[in-house]
Amino acid sequence: MVDKTRRPVIWATKSKSLIDQFHSQSFSLAAMALHYYDMLVLLFLIVNMSFYGNVDGQKNGLGASFIFGDSLVDAGNNNYLSTLSKANIAPNGIDFKASGGNPTGRYTNGRTIGDIVGEELGQPNYAVPFLAPNATGKNILSGVNYASGGGGIMNATGRIFVNRIGMDVQIDYFSITRKQIDKLLGESKAKEYIMKKSIFSITVGANDFLNNYLLPVLSIGARISQSPDSFIDDMITHFRAQLTRLYEMDGRKFVIGNVGPIGCIPYQKTINQLNEDECVDLANKLALQYNGRLKDLVAELNDNLPGATFVLANVYDLVSEVIKNYKKYGFRTASRACCGNGGQFAGIIPCGPTSSMCSDRYKHVFWDPYHPSEAANLILAKQLLDGDNRYISPVNLRQLRDL
């Protein structure tokens, strides 16, 4: 392309013939055309290097994080659902710097564990919520978040919220992402990227107890017909099939969180009118029973799925340690929600604009009646990233990234 602001030199000395003038002018135009062609090629290369930078350029960083689960790691999918479980209202997100303190749909005051782990492992951007409009193109190469508040392993879990995305549908959504990555990178490079540069993080199971089996209004039929053993059998059977599906779509690095001490959250303490240092025995016993079966499942998958590494995050013991010794970790309370209303521990009504909110958010283990604060998430994430096999095994997350 010729610069129209500059007039090309088309005259010459009188000693030059018309042919000389013609050849001179043609040579100049050809040289200029070649210059612009070179510039276009250079621009094309720069754009492609930028586009695929987070595929080839991160020798020591995590390429993509694919996050599945419930409200502990939901980054905004429920914003796009007609559901009773939403966190895109203030003061949720008040300490989330990336949004300037505005709510994003995260069920905490700041970052989730998934956000913190991704940052620490060198992930270039937060995993984008699958249902968000910008979950397209090169944005998905940093990872995608499929988690949904109220979601669980079982399809019936969370129906009290009307809408939520259970694990089966979350994996259906990943199959869409998987095809998109094929188109972006080509099938061979996409397969390598998923297998070697991506971590699949699954935090699920608590709602299957809290908002299914233990929910009197909706679960009384199931609880009469199903013993805890039978219900947990169903959970493990479903979860095995779900994790195997992800493996069949080239997932190879997995971290699976077990169920935390759900009997110790402010909601359970409040509705059961417990003292500050008490927890609900039945809820915790169910969690421990499931966790024992999950540990066996993880060992089974490591034995039976070639090339895969399934890491078990012992969330139950880790959260129990923080709750029991909260003062050691700099907290003022491990029983009262910072944001919420109702009862001794502000544990009945979820966090919203009319909720009471503490002034010392980083002194509370719990942000709301159900979810940890960012301060607690930072402590939990640190142990999962660099801790020993008390809380994360057979390797920690930094070691998993580098496999």
Side-chain angles (χ1 to χ4, degrees):
M1 181 178 177
V2 177
D3 186 351
K4 294 182 179 179
T5 64
R6 297 179 62 191
R7 185 176 299 173
V9 178
I10 58 174
W11 62 87
T13 62
K14 292 181 180 179
S15 63
K16 286 189 177 180
S17 67
L18 185 60
I19 294 175
D20 291 334
Q21 295 176 40
F22 175 77
H23 283 305
S24 176
Q25 182 181 348
S26 297
F27 179 79
S28 298
L29 290 172
M32 189 174 293
L34 183 61
H35 170 71
Y36 279 111
Y37 173 78
D38 289 341
M39 291 295 290
L40 286 172
V41 170
L42 180 61
L43 180 61
F44 177 80
L45 289 172
I46 290 172
V47 168
N48 275 274
M49 287 171 65
S50 172
F51 186 82
Y52 296 114
N54 49 350
V55 177
D56 292 327
Q58 294 175 56
K59 299 298 183 184
N60 300 313
L62 177 66
S65 177
F66 298 107
I67 298 173
F68 303 82
D70 53 33
S71 55
L72 290 169
V73 288
D74 187 351
N77 282 306
N78 278 26
N79 298 354
Y80 305 96
L81 300 178
S82 296
T83 177
L84 297 177
S85 178
K86 283 183 178 287
N88 59 340
I89 51 174
N92 292 297
I94 190 170
D95 297 306
F96 190 65
K97 293 179 181 178
S99 69
N102 293 311
T104 62
R106 288 167 170 81
Y107 292 74
T108 185
N109 59 307
R111 292 165 293 172
T112 67
I113 290 181
D115 295 328
I116 297 164
V117 166
E119 284 180 2
E120 286 293 317
L121 293 183
Q123 184 181 324
N125 299 296
Y126 294 129
V128 62
F130 177 82
L131 295 181
N134 62 331
T136 59
K138 66 179 181 179
N139 289 340
I140 68 174
L141 295 178
S142 293
V144 179
N145 186 311
Y146 307 90
S148 171
I153 294 170
M154 309 296 286
N155 289 323
T157 293
R159 60 184 171 179
I160 190 174
F161 301 117
V162 183
N163 280 319
R164 73 284 178 209
I165 310 167
M167 275 295 294
D168 282 337
V169 177
Q170 290 182 35
I171 296 169
D172 290 341
Y173 286 164
F174 174 73
S175 71
I176 296 172
T177 301
R178 184 67 189 80
K179 294 181 179 71
Q180 292 172 331
I181 295 175
D182 274 346
K183 290 180 180 178
L184 285 169
L185 303 181
E187 290 186 10
S188 177
K189 199 165 189 177
K191 188 181 184 75
E192 182 181 15
Y193 190 60
I194 298 294
M195 293 176 74
K196 296 182 179 180
K197 296 287 290 181
S198 304
I199 289 180
F200 290 71
S201 173
I202 300 100
T203 305
V204 72
N207 282 320
D208 292 287
F209 296 111
L210 291 173
N211 292 305
N212 188 341
Y213 193 75
L214 289 173
L215 200 65
V217 174
L218 296 180
S219 68
I220 187 168
R223 287 172 69 182
I224 290 172
S225 62
Q226 268 194 303
S227 66
D229 285 346
S230 175
F231 184 76
I232 290 169
D233 279 345
D234 280 354
M235 286 179 67
I236 293 295
T237 299
H238 278 78
F239 204 26
R240 178 187 292 107
Q242 290 160 354
L243 295 173
T244 302
R245 282 182 66 197
L246 290 174
Y247 174 84
E248 290 169 348
M249 287 186 277
D250 299 320
R252 290 297 181 271
K253 299 180 182 183
F254 295 87
V255 54
I256 316 295
N258 67 14
V259 173
I262 51 178
C264 301
I265 63 176
Y267 170 74
Q268 286 288 320
K269 288 189 176 189
T270 300
I271 64 171
N272 288 281
Q273 299 181 331
L274 300 182
N275 295 324
E276 187 172 4
D277 58 350
E278 292 180 314
C279 296
V280 179
D281 284 341
L282 175 59
N284 281 353
K285 285 178 180 177
L286 288 170
L288 287 170
Q289 187 175 343
Y290 166 78
N291 290 346
R293 295 289 308 280
L294 178 64
K295 184 177 182 180
D296 293 340
L297 175 62
V298 168
E300 171 195 320
L301 295 173
N302 275 322
D303 288 340
N304 295 338
L305 298 181
T309 301
F310 286 84
V311 171
L312 181 63
N314 186 1
V315 176
Y316 189 98
D317 284 354
L318 181 52
V319 173
S320 295
E321 159 66 17
V322 174
I323 289 174
K324 181 180 178 180
N325 298 305
Y326 64 91
K327 291 181 180 177
K328 167 184 166 183
Y329 296 95
F331 294 107
R332 186 172 60 82
T333 176
S335 56
R336 183 175 178 83
C338 171
C339 183
N341 279 323
Q344 181 183 354
F345 305 114
I348 296 178
I349 301 172
C351 183
T354 61
S355 301
S356 61
M357 185 175 69
C358 66
S359 58
D360 50 354
R361 297 185 290 275
Y362 286 90
K363 295 290 186 180
H364 283 64
V365 171
F366 288 97
W367 162 245
D368 67 9
Y370 306 91
H371 307 100
S373 65
E374 183 184 70
N377 282 336
L378 282 163
I379 293 169
L380 304 178
K382 173 63 176 171
Q383 287 295 331
L384 301 183
L385 284 160
D386 301 305
D388 58 31
N389 59 14
R390 288 178 302 164
Y391 300 130
I392 184 90
S393 62
V395 295
N396 63 41
L397 296 188
R398 224 176 282 279
Q399 293 166 334
L400 178 66
R401 176 199 62 187
D402 296 337
L403 290 178

